[in-house]
Amino acid sequence: MSTTTTTTGTATTPAPTGALNASRTAATAARVLRQLRHDPRTIAMMILIPCVMLFLLRYVFDGSPRTFDSIGASLLGIFPLITMFLVTSIATLRERTSGTLERLLAMPLGKGDLIAGYALAFGALAIIQSALATGLAVWFLGLDVTGSPWLLLLVALLDALLGTALGLFVSAFAASEFQAVQFMPAVIFPQLLLCGLFTPRDNMHPALKAISDVLPMSYAVDGMNEVLKHTDMTTNFIRDALIVAGCALLVLALGAATLRRRTA
């Protein structure tokens, strides 16, 4: 069996294989986190904006707290998804336009390692973001939920990871940061309209209902609603959480397959 190698000067380095390498993935995640540490505005955007939006929403409905209870949980999942989508897509595109991505992929670093490293780094921030937003909504803003707040946190975290995956995926198709932002109306807004936030999905036109059935944000909202209505973890909640997680993994795989070294 032959082994494919890449040669630089006199040194011979094994070419990266298709399988993920834990050390390469961890090194990529550490590099991304070091970069983010020097960008406090991005960190503030990721962590604080969902909390600010929930705070504003609570007092927009100050005279009708039941309205906040009915939609607050859904938005607790939607806000982190949108924030992580924007930040991840722009940050990844910046790596490619600056030439950093091309230099990294010239090393023994597979596309899967790179995407997994980014997902791991932004996922760590997503945990902080989701924990702060959930704690604020439940214990400070008084969001009334029947089920466990930990289940709310789980769905919020899965939504943030889904937003990260979507951002990594669409960044491969953008040639500038402006184009990356333009993907938001195409990728996020249709899901926002069809997820059941504004009206139950069963009340929609059958064609729109069928489309909503294949959009991951629909199951994120359904999962939050399950926590609002039931004290225990239901079969529907498990199904919704697994679908959101599965969609995130699928999009990450597509992101690794479509990742380009540089913009066109």
Side-chain angles (χ1 to χ4, degrees), residues 128-188:
I128 300 173
Q129 177 197 71
S130 301
L132 287 176
T134 302
L136 175 71
V138 175
W139 288 296
F140 184 79
L141 299 179
L143 179 66
D144 186 16
V145 294
T146 301
S148 170
W150 293 106
L151 296 181
L152 282 182
L153 174 60
L154 173 62
V155 180
L157 176 58
L158 291 175
D159 290 342
L161 294 176
L162 176 62
T164 298
L166 288 170
L168 289 170
F169 176 63
V170 303
S171 68
F173 303 99
S176 66
E177 294 180 14
F178 179 66
Q179 286 186 8
V181 174
Q182 286 179 312
F183 273 104
M184 184 173 172
V187 176
I188 300 298

Side-chain angles (χ1 to χ4, degrees), residues 71-95:
I71 67 172
S74 298
L75 292 175
L76 180 60
I78 292 173
F79 286 157
L81 189 155
I82 294 174
T83 304
M84 296 304 292
F85 172 84
L86 282 173
V87 172
T88 307
S89 60
I90 293 174
T92 308
L93 181 64
R94 189 178 300 167
E95 292 270 74

Side-chain angles (χ1 to χ4, degrees), residues 162-252:
L162 176 62
T164 298
L166 288 170
L168 289 170
F169 176 63
V170 303
S171 68
F173 303 99
S176 66
E177 294 180 14
F178 179 66
Q179 286 186 8
V181 174
Q182 286 179 312
F183 273 104
M184 184 173 172
V187 176
I188 300 298
F189 285 0
Q191 296 193 67
L192 189 61
L193 292 174
L194 299 177
C195 68
L197 177 64
F198 301 104
T199 186
R201 292 194 292 127
D202 290 336
N203 295 344
M204 297 178 184
H205 187 280
L208 295 181
K209 171 64 166 58
I211 295 173
S212 73
D213 286 341
V214 299
L215 297 177
M217 192 182 291
S218 300
Y219 298 95
V221 171
D222 288 349
M224 289 295 194
N225 288 334
E226 287 292 311
V227 181
L228 283 178
K229 299 174 184 176
H230 303 281
T231 55
D232 299 320
M233 184 185 300
T234 64
T235 302
N236 286 338
F237 175 85
I238 296 174
R239 178 207 63 189
D240 296 333
L242 289 176
I243 289 175
V244 175
C247 288
L249 292 175
L250 175 61
V251 174
L252 283 175

